[in-house]
Structure formats: structure tokens, C-alpha cells
Amino acid sequence: MAETDEAYVIEIELPGITTSDVRVDVVGNEIRVRGDVPRRDSAGKLRYHTRREGHFDNQVALPSDVDAFRTAATLRDGVLTVRAPKAADDGVLGTEPVAVPVTGPL
């Protein structure tokens, strides 16, 4: 995670994942990234498994609240980048999850 004056930027490696396989939510000062890595069919008998598959759930607690409605997520070349602008210091902490649409490369 990196912090600028205006926002927090989180990068998570998600090779083989499409935008429909991942969900990003914001609750207060927490970013939650979850989804499923689909099982891939392989020819022959599987002897050794090196690819990740199944459910994943990552949570990142940030030092301050973020503006959930301006948070953006982009998935490009197997890296999910979430940019969460810092919220105005109004003392109100969101308690309901806000879904962030995940877009692909432009």
C-alpha cells in the first residue's frame, strides 16, 4: 500500500483473474478484496499442483477513512489496483459496505 496526500493506493497480484472473478468493497477505513480463482482443467493426471485456486479474501485496514463512493479499482495484467481517496474529516464512519466496480484495461 502506498499513501499520497490525496489517496491510498493498494496493489494486489491476481494472475489469471478476470474482473468478473473479483469483488471490492469499502467499509469505513477498510478495503476488502475477495473472489474466486476458477479451477483450470488439465490434460492427464495431476501430479503436482502449483497454481492457486479457490476462494480468496484480503482485507486492508487504512490509517484513516476513505471516500467509498470515489474509490476506483482497475485490473490490468494480473494486478488489481485500488485507489481510495481520503475522506473529509467529518467524523462519520461508513458501516455499510460500498461495492466498487472493477474495470479492466482501457
Side-chain angles (χ1 to χ4, degrees):
M1 176 189 62
E3 179 179 1
T4 68
D5 290 339
E6 299 84 27
Y8 299 101
V9 180
I10 301 159
E11 292 183 335
I12 301 172
E13 291 185 10
L14 296 174
I17 297 293
T18 66
T19 56
S20 62
D21 295 328
V22 65
R23 178 183 170 113
V24 178
D25 292 303
V26 178
V27 181
N29 71 326
E30 185 175 275
I31 305 292
R32 184 173 187 186
V33 178
R34 58 189 162 164
D36 292 293
V37 179
R39 178 180 290 258
R40 293 169 180 84
D41 292 330
S42 59
K45 184 184 284 189
L46 183 64
R47 296 285 186 179
Y48 187 73
H49 185 81
T50 59
R51 298 181 106 175
R52 184 172 105 172
E53 64 182 36
H55 187 72
F56 62 90
D57 191 339
N58 298 312
Q59 297 176 7
V60 179
L62 304 173
S64 64
D65 292 344
V66 297
D67 185 339
F69 296 103
R70 292 188 358 205
T71 297
T74 304
L75 182 62
R76 182 182 181 126
D77 297 330
V79 177
L80 177 71
T81 302
V82 180
R83 185 178 187 284
K86 294 178 180 177
D89 190 17
D90 58 9
V92 177
L93 181 66
T95 57
E96 294 296 318
V98 175
V100 177
V102 179
T103 61
L106 300 175

